[in-house]
């Protein structure tokens, strides 16, 4: 079974631009969560989608948004990029949105904002 | 609020045993997770504790004390490939998102 895939793997943008990142979950997984990872803050939760609905949202500004499609693929968008948005963006999928505890992470997208 | 603390860095010798501690303060508790993350790679699931006690899985064991807000990950017979960051994460109630600690970077030396 293929793992979680994320595209692109690396991205360089300039301040003020916007970016869209994509995540394809493991086949059959309907829950997708997004995280931002930085050396200073560690892994921080952005949002979770299940069956095209946002189920949970972290404490990030409205510039960060996401969506999920009917095939469970998810995208996240960051508008008006700031230097502090430079980070590794990870998505994780799991089979359901219940207490099923094992979530599988993708390799991440390394975003650099200059 | 939620707070998860773990040491920033640890160093241990190949073949030895190392214990990585994690303390947490959350409004509720519905499970504690340990993940391993090699540099430049995705985190991978290691263990899950929801009841007090020790869970053993091969060379890795995880312990939980809910009354003390404390967990540890025990790695035995250390190998060079165990050099990685180890992330402690807690779910405070229901199906809320996991809250991660900042991770412990373990270096295994010969």
């Amino acid at each position: 079974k293929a793992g979680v895939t994320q595209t692109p793997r690396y991205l360089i943008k300039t301040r003020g631009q916007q970016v869209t990142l994509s995540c394809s979950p493991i086949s059959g997984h309907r829950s997708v969560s997004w995280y931002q990872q930085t050396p200073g803050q560690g892994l921080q939760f952005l949002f979770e989608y299940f069956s095209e609905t946002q189920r949970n949202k972290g404490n990030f500004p409205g510039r960060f948004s996401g969506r999920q499609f009917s095939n469970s693929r998810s995208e996240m968008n960051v508008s008006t990029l700031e230097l502090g948005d430079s980070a590794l963006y990870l998505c994780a999928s799991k089979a359901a949105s219940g207490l099923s505890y094992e979530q599988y992470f993708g390799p991440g997208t390394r975003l650099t904002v200059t | 609020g939620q707070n998860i603390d773990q040491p920033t860095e640890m160093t241990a010798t190949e073949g030895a045993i190392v214990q990585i501690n994690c303390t947490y303060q959350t409004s509720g508790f519905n499970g504690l997770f340990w993940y391993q993350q090699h540099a430049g790679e995705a985190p991978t699931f290691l263990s899950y504790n929801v009841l007090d006690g020790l869970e053993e899985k091969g060379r890795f064991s995880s312990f939980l004390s809910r009354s003390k807000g404390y967990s540890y990950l025990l790695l035995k017979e250390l190998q060079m490939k165990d050099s990685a960051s180890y992330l402690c994460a807690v779910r405070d109630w229901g199906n809320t998102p996991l809250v991660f600690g900042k991770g412990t970077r373990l270096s295994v030396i010969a």
Side-chain angles (χ1 to χ4, degrees):
Chain A
K1 190 185 263 191
V4 179
T5 58
Q6 292 187 244
T7 56
R9 293 292 312 277
Y10 302 91
L11 204 50
I12 300 175
K13 291 284 189 179
T14 56
R15 276 181 301 176
Q17 287 186 312
Q18 75 165 17
V19 66
T20 299
L21 312 181
S22 180
C23 171
S24 293
I26 291 172
S27 178
H29 285 194
R30 296 167 64 189
S31 168
V32 173
S33 297
W34 288 90
Y35 295 84
Q36 181 194 67
Q37 188 174 32
T38 59
Q41 298 299 318
L43 259 171
Q44 293 187 289
F45 172 78
L46 281 157
F47 22 68
E48 178 191 7
Y49 286 88
F50 178 77
S51 293
E52 302 178 66
T53 302
Q54 188 179 87
R55 296 296 290 257
N56 289 294
K57 188 177 189 305
N59 192 25
F60 277 80
R63 301 185 296 107
F64 291 81
S65 62
R67 59 179 176 168
Q68 187 180 34
F69 302 95
S70 58
N71 61 358
S72 294
R73 189 177 70 86
S74 178
E75 289 182 348
M76 67 163 281
N77 183 77
V78 188
S79 62
T80 319
L81 283 166
E82 300 177 359
L83 294 179
D85 297 333
S86 294
L88 180 66
Y89 290 88
L90 292 160
C91 85
S93 77
K94 59 183 181 179
S97 188
L99 297 180
S100 155
Y101 54 84
E102 191 162 351
Q103 59 181 9
Y104 299 84
F105 283 87
T109 295
R110 173 76 61 186
L111 172 65
T112 302
V113 182
T114 62
Chain B
Q2 302 163 322
N3 192 42
I4 299 176
D5 287 315
Q6 45 181 137
T8 304
E9 291 188 28
M10 298 183 70
T11 300
T13 305
E14 193 176 15
I17 299 172
V18 70
Q19 178 175 310
I20 302 174
N21 296 325
C22 171
T23 58
Y24 63 90
Q25 294 171 314
T26 54
S27 53
F29 180 80
N30 198 20
L32 186 142
F33 305 76
W34 284 96
Y35 283 83
Q36 180 191 59
Q37 185 177 25
H38 285 99
E41 297 183 12
T44 55
F45 171 81
L46 287 178
S47 69
Y48 168 68
N49 295 71
V50 67
L51 299 176
D52 290 351
L54 188 69
E55 295 280 342
E56 296 186 80
K57 191 185 291 187
R59 294 189 299 113
F60 292 9
S61 303
S62 57
F63 172 83
L64 174 68
S65 169
R66 289 173 296 171
S67 62
K68 295 181 180 178
Y70 168 69
S71 172
Y72 67 73
L73 181 69
L74 193 71
L75 290 75
K76 304 174 187 175
E77 301 169 12
L78 279 173
Q79 303 174 10
M80 301 299 284
K81 69 178 182 179
D82 297 329
S83 293
S85 287
Y86 291 86
L87 309 176
C88 172
V90 175
R91 174 177 287 130
D92 63 359
W93 64 275
N95 190 31
T96 53
L98 295 183
V99 178
F100 283 82
K102 294 184 180 179
T104 298
R105 184 178 301 173
L106 173 67
S107 298
V108 180
I109 59 176

